[in-house]
């Protein structure tokens, strides 16, 4: 059965690989699954046809046969469950990897994503500087804890897993802020993720949408 995902027809990140379909593309590339991409405009995302796939009118969505999923974390978890290579076989290691998946999306991502929105939507507001400092303090606290947990390891818990896909894509939003560089082991961790061949294929596929040459995944 053909896998089809949705992505922005014109991504706000201008091809920087920050849109959440990047996570899904990367996971599919890691497990070697071909996929098609259906591009949707911002207007189409709010129409009934797309809301039948994602009730919140967002991307990405995932379709395979009769199965339709939304929420990038759920989709990545589904891919990891169905295909070898993104979750450990050992039950305890698998549970730890899943815990890190939740940590990436529930603990680390919220202040980072809020920072992105504040920079876009609130820059002209009188409270902008205070709001940004508050978020940056929260982010630094999260990264300080993450830095200790990661230590000198290459990945979050042993071998590369779906947890690393989610965590790296979350952390990449901080590139250019100067915050990531305050934690050298985390900056190196993100860079390791970006050197993986599957990451590069996913990034190139998402970039091609912005440059006007979209292609299906491998």
């Amino acid at each position: 059965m053909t896998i089809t995902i949705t992505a922005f027809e014109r991504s706000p990140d201008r091809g920087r690989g920050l849109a959440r379909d990047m996570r899904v593309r990367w996971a599919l590339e890691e497990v070697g699954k071909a996929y098609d991409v259906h591009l949707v405009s911002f207007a189409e995302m709010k129409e009934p046809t797309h809301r039948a796939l994602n009730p919140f009118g967002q991307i990405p969505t995932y379709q395979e046969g009769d199965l339709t999923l939304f929420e990038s974390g759920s989709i990545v978890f589904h891919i990891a469950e169905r295909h070898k290579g993104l979750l450990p076989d050992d039950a305890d290691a698998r549970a730890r990897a899943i815990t890190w998946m939740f940590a990436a999306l529930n603990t680390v991502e919220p202040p980072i994503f809020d920072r992105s929105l504040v920079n876009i939507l609130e820059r002209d507001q009188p409270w902008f500087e205070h709001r940004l400092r508050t978020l940056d303090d929260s982010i630094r606290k999260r990264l300080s804890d993450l830095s200790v947990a990661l230590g000198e390891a290459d990945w979050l818990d042993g071998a590369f897993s779906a947890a690393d896909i989610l965590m790296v894509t979350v952390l990449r939003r901080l590139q250019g802020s100067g915050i990531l560089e305050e934690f050298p082991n985390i900056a190196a961790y993100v860079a390791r993720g970006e050197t993986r061949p599957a990451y590069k294929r996913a990034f190139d596929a998402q970039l091609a949408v912005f440059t006007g040459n979209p292609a299906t995944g491998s």
Side-chain angles (χ1 to χ4, degrees):
M1 290 179 287
T2 301
I3 295 170
T4 302
I5 68 171
T6 51
F8 288 123
E9 179 182 76
R10 183 61 59 179
S11 178
D13 72 1
R14 301 177 66 85
R16 292 168 56 211
L18 301 180
R20 289 186 172 99
D21 63 287
M22 177 67 188
R23 302 166 179 177
V24 177
R25 292 177 187 268
W26 187 1
L28 289 168
E29 293 288 353
E30 288 283 353
V31 300
K33 289 295 293 183
Y35 59 98
D36 291 334
V37 181
H38 176 61
L39 302 177
V40 293
S41 67
F42 286 105
E44 289 170 332
M45 286 166 57
K46 305 307 178 184
E47 292 177 356
T49 299
H50 185 72
R51 285 189 181 274
L53 305 178
N54 184 320
F56 302 105
Q58 298 174 328
I59 62 97
T61 61
Y62 173 104
Q63 291 176 279
E64 186 178 13
D66 294 331
L67 177 65
T68 299
L69 299 174
F70 60 97
E71 292 295 327
S72 60
S74 172
I75 296 169
V76 170
F77 180 58
H78 170 76
I79 294 167
E81 286 258 277
R82 290 286 184 92
H83 307 284
K84 283 216 171 265
L86 289 181
L87 285 175
D89 292 330
D90 175 76
D92 288 350
R94 188 184 188 88
R96 289 193 300 270
I98 294 169
T99 297
W100 275 113
M101 293 176 73
F102 277 86
L105 301 184
N106 293 349
T107 301
V108 180
E109 183 171 46
I112 294 175
F113 187 70
D114 283 351
R115 187 183 196 277
S116 298
L117 290 182
V118 165
N119 270 301
I120 295 170
L121 302 176
E122 301 181 28
R123 183 171 289 276
D124 296 331
Q125 300 299 326
W127 59 78
F128 171 71
E129 294 293 342
H130 175 73
R131 176 83 167 119
L132 192 63
R133 282 196 302 271
T134 300
L135 285 170
D136 285 353
D137 288 345
S138 179
I139 291 167
R140 287 186 173 95
K141 174 62 170 69
R142 294 303 187 204
L143 294 197
S144 179
D145 294 338
L146 177 61
S147 178
V148 171
L150 180 63
E152 298 305 313
D154 284 347
W155 307 113
L156 290 171
D157 191 275
F160 178 85
S161 75
D164 297 296
I165 290 177
L166 296 181
M167 189 68 79
V168 168
T169 54
V170 164
L171 294 169
R172 287 191 67 249
R173 284 189 177 274
L174 291 173
Q175 290 175 329
S177 69
I179 298 175
L180 203 58
E181 290 72 21
E182 296 174 19
F183 303 89
N185 65 332
I186 297 179
Y189 166 71
V190 172
R192 270 192 298 278
E194 293 175 325
T195 63
R196 292 182 69 85
Y199 171 89
K200 293 179 179 179
R201 291 193 298 271
F203 183 91
D204 289 346
Q206 199 184 62
L207 178 62
V209 176
F210 179 76
T211 58
N213 300 295
T216 56
S218 66

